[in-house]
Amino acid sequence: MRHFALFTFLIILTFPLLVNGQSKYSVSGYVKDATTGETLIGANVYLKETLKGTSTNSYGYYSFTVPEGDYTLVITFLGYKSIELPLSLDANVKKNIDLQSMSYTAGEVEITGEKKDENISSVQMSKNEIDMDLVETLPAFMGEVDILKTIQLLPGVQSAGEGNSGYYVRGGGPDQNLVLLDEAVVYNASHLFGFFSVFNADAINNVELYKGGMPAQYGGRLASVLDISMKDGNKKSFHGEGGLGFIASRLTLEGPIKKDTSSFIISARRTFVDLFLQKPFIDESSEIYGNSYYFYDVNAKLDYILSEKDRLYLSGYIGRDVFSFSSRETGFKVRIPWGNATASARWNHIFANKLFLNTTVVFSDYKFSFEAEQQQFNFKLFSGIRDWNFKSDFTWFPSVLHNIKFGGNYTWHTFTPSNVSARSGETDFDLGKIIKLYAHEAAIYINDEWTVSDKVVLSGGIRATYFNQVGPFTRYAQNEEGITTDTIEYDNGTSVKAYFNAEPRFSGVWKLNTVSSLKGSLTQNYQYVHLASLSSVSLPTDVWVPSSSRVKPQLGTQVAMGYFRNLNENKYEASIEMYYKDMKNQIEYKEGAQPDEDVKNNQDNNFVFGKGWSYGAEFFFKKRYGQLNGWVGYTLSYTDRKFPDINDGETFPAKYDRRHDVSLVLSYKLSKKWTFGMVWVYATGNSLTLPQSRLFLNGPVDLAALANDQSGYGQIYYEYGKRNSYRQQSYHRLDISATLHVQKNKKWESSWNFSIFNVYSRLNPYFIYFDDYIDEETGEFKLQAKQVSLFPIIPSVTYNFKF
């Protein structure tokens, strides 16, 4: 029955193509930056007479087919001068377009390179594109421009905490965000335990965030897709840029290998705090001498035009964090390295003017390790995930009314969940063999964007998915008390558990008039890989695990509707979006679970399962251009969870439930030399679980003994309240920045960026702990809650340069 329904859906989807036979000739080509030769993603190409056309894809290619005739071809892109070209169609035409970057005047900044009604006419809703030029003018935490902190300022996206680059989208968890860098999955997108993202803004060309209504080519996560594209490299001439800041320094080099044919770009960044913890800055007698923390990342890409129909892209990323601590008094040493590595090889081929192919091979790897040593004892905890992925994506342009995408992908997963090794001197402890889990994941999809009329555009698609955990694998079967009663061995390649599912995707836009529209979407997603979080351990020991016979794939269904309006001749954009999301098969660790419980056990035996839901409204108002531009966003949301084995089975707010979230973002260009930026944020405090009473067990308590840290006189037992029933204080903060362009000519350009983080030094809560003490006056034992705040006012200065 399921296969019949799928077949019927595909017939309905392609039926409009069978009855529409008006197309005669096609116009196609690439849109590029005239100065650098880089392709432009999302440039608008349309006919002035009919206002029908398309946008360039992720590789700058466009194609559409219209009846024979004389037209005017219009090409626009944000930040570039528009072009109008006469077009006589009596045969298929290929036109490669070079756009000139716009020039700024001393007064009003005119941005003509964006289709005026894009906000109201596009069928895609719940999508945001990040302007990298604007990002670089905003206040930067400790001087580091951060893409992930910028998307936290959008409605529907919430920060994970003070200074943190982690984010939650519409009530989803951190593992429910798909992060792609040149089509490679990035499993951990943060440096410094979450305070900086792994993305060097100097190497980034385009950033797109989907919060809902995801097209069928995306899958594998419930909450969002963050699709990041690296720069291709300048095909015209050699250039470089970089910066010197308080925390890190960076350098990017790019240029042609063969002019107008191939190019390269390499970008590197590294912190240097660790260099100041050594001689001659720190004396060997100091307690902090020899301790260290640093991170680095390197992006590289090669782009080669093989022929008019073929292009090749090779790109890679590697990033590492290394934290180390040593105590000379106790001999205790800790080293914590972690990081990502990705590589992508992509081949573009144009079969015909109407059919575009991109084939990609991807490698992605994430590793985490915690290593401790004291005297002769050594302990190591490590985890990770590695993927090999092959995918082919086709784009078919049968007519100006249809844009059809279809394709498939396959991924081979290798999971390394929490593994533990230990030794004392020459003795190795038997903690079981290193555990690795294996799985196949595959999908095929088709999606059609159909322009029904001048007022109605529909997008419909379906994604069929397959996931299969395979051996070698040992299943430790346990009873309700957690005691292993049996073991089942699966040989290499033997199926442990397989899942087949279909994911429908629908969205549509109805233009009410020339300045407003209504949009709606329905999205269903299955997620087969999961991030298990140990909330009781204060280390980044979260691990990725596959769906299995115990862990069912997460299922998310989201419905969204919105009203979109442009004001004052499209100078302003406004929108209101409402959504409801239902999430099934959510995963948490059992309360009190620890990594060592995975020794000779399956990690998923420590999980409990439940459901969740989230709903809310997002308000967005944006000024598109002018000396002063920016946006204000407000989100009202509710996010709840319900687990039979947590909180006595009662509903509780998720730890990232946030009732109110406000962001104000402004950028003001005073002159050619000065640009100012401001960010103000407000958010309801995070929810958490706190003890509500204490009990003394095992005999009477001697308060004097407690004061002297002696034991044997009794134990203190804390009784905790309902899960996440306490709210921290609200979070708010003001950041400001000023950018001074001190030199600009053909050979050298430089600027100073001055930023102040947390201008009024708000002591925002980071976490709360409890301190036990004896009141010296009354002799009573007391329990006091104390708040820890991380960052007061922090000024920073960064010097940036280009050549």
Side-chain angles (χ1 to χ4, degrees), residues 160-163 683-686 688 726-732 762-768 786-791:
E162 174 74 282
T684 301
N686 288 337
L688 69 160
Y726 177 81
R727 287 278 179 185
Q728 292 181 334
Q729 293 181 0
S730 60
Y731 181 99
H732 54 88
R762 161 76 173 177
L763 296 179
N764 287 300
Y766 186 64
F767 66 85
I768 293 176
K786 294 186 177 181
Q787 174 182 299
V788 174
S789 300
L790 286 184
F791 303 116

Side-chain angles (χ1 to χ4, degrees), residues 362-664:
V362 175
F363 169 78
S364 179
D365 183 67
Y366 170 70
K367 294 178 181 178
F368 167 81
S369 179
F370 174 85
E371 304 164 9
E373 176 184 345
Q374 188 168 24
Q375 296 178 357
Q376 292 186 325
F377 181 76
N378 294 271
F379 171 85
K380 183 177 182 180
L381 173 71
F382 57 97
S383 62
I385 180 172
R386 173 175 292 183
D387 290 346
W388 287 96
N389 175 261
F390 176 83
K391 56 183 299 198
S392 287
D393 301 288
F394 294 84
T395 306
W396 180 31
F397 309 94
S399 75
V400 72
L401 302 179
H402 292 275
N403 187 334
I404 297 178
K405 296 181 179 181
F406 62 95
N409 65 72
Y410 165 78
T411 303
W412 170 249
H413 295 289
T414 302
F415 300 84
T416 307
S418 291
N419 283 269
V420 179
S421 64
R423 65 180 300 174
S424 180
E426 300 299 324
T427 304
D428 290 319
F429 295 98
D430 181 14
L431 301 177
K433 61 183 179 180
I434 295 177
I435 300 172
K436 289 191 176 183
L437 308 177
Y438 305 93
H440 303 280
E441 184 173 4
I444 57 173
Y445 70 89
I446 184 170
N447 196 98
D448 180 22
E449 184 177 316
W450 176 27
T451 303
V452 181
S453 68
D454 291 339
K455 291 184 176 294
V456 178
V457 181
L458 300 177
S459 178
I462 192 164
R463 183 180 180 90
T465 60
Y466 165 76
F467 188 89
N468 187 8
Q469 184 193 359
V470 297
F473 176 69
T474 302
R475 165 60 67 191
Y476 295 91
Q478 295 184 341
N479 58 22
E480 295 182 357
E481 287 73 30
I483 300 174
T484 300
T485 58
D486 192 15
T487 58
I488 305 172
E489 297 289 342
Y490 294 87
D491 294 332
N492 188 22
T494 303
S495 175
V496 177
K497 180 63 178 179
Y499 294 94
F500 297 87
N501 291 292
E503 306 174 7
R505 313 285 176 85
F506 295 100
S507 60
V509 57
W510 175 30
K511 291 185 66 175
L512 302 175
N513 47 50
T514 58
V515 295
S516 64
S517 65
L518 293 175
K519 299 183 183 183
S521 67
L522 169 65
T523 309
Q524 189 172 87
N525 299 76
Y526 282 88
Q527 180 169 331
Y528 296 101
V529 297
H530 320 278
L531 187 67
S533 177
L534 276 167
S535 58
S536 61
V537 178
S538 58
L539 294 170
T541 53
D542 298 350
V543 296
W544 290 92
V545 295
S547 294
S548 65
S549 55
R550 289 203 74 244
V551 182
K552 296 180 180 180
Q554 299 180 59
L555 169 61
T557 304
Q558 181 180 167
V559 180
M561 295 188 65
Y563 174 72
F564 297 78
R565 185 176 180 87
N566 288 357
L567 305 166
N568 193 15
E569 297 182 349
N570 302 304
K571 191 173 185 178
Y572 301 93
E573 295 179 357
S575 65
I576 302 173
E577 292 191 41
M578 295 174 289
Y579 68 90
Y580 179 86
K581 182 190 296 183
D582 180 74
M583 294 166 280
K584 292 182 171 60
N585 305 325
Q586 301 299 283
I587 299 171
E588 294 279 359
Y589 265 102
K590 293 178 180 177
E591 294 180 341
Q594 297 292 340
D596 57 4
E597 295 178 5
D598 298 330
V599 177
K600 294 186 178 181
N601 189 12
N602 300 126
Q603 188 141 27
D604 55 17
N605 284 332
N606 294 318
F607 298 160
V608 293
F609 309 97
K611 60 183 180 179
W613 54 92
S614 179
Y615 55 94
E618 301 166 2
F619 302 82
F620 188 61
F621 184 82
K622 176 183 178 181
K623 187 171 185 288
R624 296 175 57 241
Y625 58 87
Q627 282 185 276
L628 176 67
N629 57 75
W631 69 81
V632 58
Y634 168 67
T635 305
L636 171 68
S637 63
Y638 298 80
T639 303
D640 293 311
R641 297 288 187 267
K642 188 172 184 179
F643 284 69
D645 299 300
I646 296 177
N647 202 48
D648 298 325
E650 298 180 9
T651 301
F652 60 90
K655 58 184 177 183
Y656 28 86
D657 174 57
R658 193 86 51 82
R659 193 70 62 245
H660 305 285
D661 215 309
V662 183
S663 59
L664 174 63

